[in-house]
Amino acid sequence: MSSAPGPSATPSFSPLAFQLVLLRRMADHQPGLVEDALRELGVDRSEMREANRRWQAMLHSPRRRAAGSRYRSVLGPPETVSERRVGDLTFDALMWRVPLWPDLRFEVLSAPGGAVWNEWLVRAPGLPGPALRTIRDLRPWACTVDEVARAFPPARPMEGTAPTRWRLSFTAPDTTGEHAEYVAEFTWGLLQRVVAPDSPVGRPETPAQPSRPGD
């Protein structure tokens, strides 16, 4: 007679749960957008916290998979696989769809052997990014690290404040054409907010009406 799975059995980690992991990190900067996304997905904050707890347990398990294999097991076969050169190194670039952001893809750069060099959201191949001309164009969730860096060269990478976070320092004009220094903060490669280095902590320079998922 077969025995039922015991209470310690772990259900599979779904693509929906992975989206909740992305949102958990973004909630620190954009709680309103995250609440909108949770309603769109039909889940609540407790489910988001549980998905993040399980993800962290997977990352730190003694029996954890290599990162490249883990993403395939969670997200399924990638939509595209291509070769990418970064300096003298060659990586496999794997991309998956993310329903919350239909114009973006989750990209993993995997080295030979399965080790992951980078993992973040990027614009889907062939789709145009937003027109970024002034600081007011930098809306939360509307653009990626690469798009901001290209729009306002020479952007300077800065150390992130936590894992899966990036920062860029750059100069950009406002709507009157006056230039100033700013720092853009990203989570999983997606813009969360822009601050002026000399502004009070927590006072973002990004517009009051941010971009909603899919905008």
Side-chain angles (χ1 to χ4, degrees):
M1 184 174 78
S2 62
S3 59
S8 61
T10 301
S12 60
F13 203 90
S14 68
L16 170 61
F18 180 70
Q19 289 181 96
L20 298 181
V21 171
L22 301 182
L23 291 172
R24 175 61 186 87
R25 277 292 188 184
M26 297 181 190
D28 295 335
H29 290 322
Q30 293 296 335
L33 280 178
V34 168
E35 289 292 343
D36 290 344
L38 293 177
R39 283 193 291 271
E40 181 177 331
L41 293 172
V43 299
D44 59 27
R45 293 184 69 88
S46 65
E47 292 172 271
M48 179 177 69
R49 289 191 296 268
E50 174 61 14
N52 188 67
R53 184 197 67 77
R54 290 178 54 213
W55 179 258
Q56 294 300 321
M58 288 171 58
L59 295 184
H60 299 98
S61 169
R63 298 185 299 275
R64 62 184 178 274
R65 303 184 182 205
S69 299
R70 181 173 63 248
Y71 282 118
R72 287 178 182 270
S73 70
V74 169
L75 300 175
E79 180 183 58
T80 63
V81 179
S82 59
E83 191 175 274
R84 181 82 52 80
R85 289 193 64 83
V86 181
D88 295 331
L89 302 177
T90 301
F91 297 90
D92 285 334
L94 296 79
M95 288 190 179
W96 287 268
R97 291 180 178 271
V98 185
L100 266 177
W101 297 280
D103 290 348
L104 303 179
R105 298 292 184 268
F106 188 75
E107 179 188 71
V108 172
L109 294 184
S110 177
V116 167
W117 184 72
N118 201 14
E119 48 199 327
W120 59 6
L121 292 164
V122 299
R123 189 68 51 185
L127 293 184
L132 305 178
R133 299 185 181 91
T134 75
I135 195 64
R136 299 298 293 177
D137 296 324
L138 298 180
R139 298 180 299 148
W141 290 21
C143 47
T144 65
V145 173
D146 185 55
E147 289 168 340
V148 175
R150 289 200 312 267
F152 303 106
R156 298 171 295 280
M158 302 172 65
E159 184 176 356
T161 57
T164 74
R165 291 182 179 170
W166 292 261
R167 294 194 298 165
L168 287 178
S169 173
F170 62 98
T171 302
D174 60 19
T175 54
T176 68
E178 183 175 353
H179 286 70
E181 289 284 333
Y182 299 95
V183 173
E185 300 183 355
F186 304 82
T187 300
W188 291 105
L190 193 60
L191 180 67
Q192 302 300 306
R193 66 177 183 174
V194 178
V195 298
D198 58 353
S199 68
V201 174
R203 177 183 159 189
E205 297 294 327
T206 40
Q209 295 298 321
S211 175
R212 294 170 59 87
D215 286 357

